[in-house]
Amino acid sequence: MSIIVECNCGEVSVHFATTKPLFRLVCCCADCNAILQWAASKRGHCFYPAHQGIDKLYLENSLRVVKGEENLRWVKITSDTVCLRSVTTCCYSSLFVENLSILGAKI
């Protein structure tokens, strides 16, 4: 059994070997909201409401890209942000975040 994460258009599919999250949280930080607003604008959509809680699952680094690796990019919204986020180039879905301030190098 695994957790499967796919982008909005289905061009990217990633499997995590684990089914048990390390933890789950609702994040309201400026970085999460800013990257999701940016991604929505790239798709020609509004991100509404402008500031909202983002539901996040933190998993062990056990991912395997099954489809669409060429469509994954890692981006930082600003140079001093603590979050490195994976965004797809096919539909600008935000799939993963690496936040070194929480647990170290985890996706």
Side-chain angles (χ1 to χ4, degrees), residues 44-76:
H45 295 105
C46 292
F47 181 68
Y48 183 80
H51 293 281
Q52 59 183 289
I54 311 302
D55 188 19
K56 291 180 169 181
L57 288 177
Y58 279 81
L59 305 166
E60 289 184 29
N61 283 345
S62 60
L63 65 91
R64 180 173 57 94
V65 179
V66 177
K67 180 172 75 168
E69 186 171 1
E70 69 278 4
N71 292 321
L72 285 173
R73 299 292 181 271
W74 290 94
V75 298
K76 290 176 82 172

Side-chain angles (χ1 to χ4, degrees), residues 3 7 16 18 21 29 43 45 47 53 55 62 64 66 73 82 88-89 92 103:
I3 293 176
C7 68
F16 284 85
T18 184
C29 80
R43 291 189 305 269
H45 295 105
F47 181 68
D55 188 19
S62 60
R64 180 173 57 94
V66 177
R73 299 292 181 271
V82 296
T88 63
T89 57
Y92 293 96
L103 289 177

Side-chain angles (χ1 to χ4, degrees), residues 31-52:
D31 285 347
C32 285
N33 277 276
I35 197 77
L36 293 177
Q37 287 177 357
W38 172 81
S41 72
K42 294 294 258 181
R43 291 189 305 269
H45 295 105
C46 292
F47 181 68
Y48 183 80
H51 293 281
Q52 59 183 289

Side-chain angles (χ1 to χ4, degrees), residues 1-7 12-22 57-66 72 74 86 94-98 105-107:
M1 190 85 178
S2 64
I3 293 176
I4 299 170
V5 177
E6 292 184 328
C7 68
V12 176
S13 182
V14 179
H15 293 202
F16 284 85
T18 184
T19 59
K20 184 177 180 185
L22 297 171
L57 288 177
Y58 279 81
L59 305 166
E60 289 184 29
N61 283 345
S62 60
L63 65 91
R64 180 173 57 94
V65 179
V66 177
L72 285 173
W74 290 94
S86 176
S94 176
L95 299 182
F96 316 113
V97 64
E98 183 173 36
K106 299 284 183 201
I107 294 177

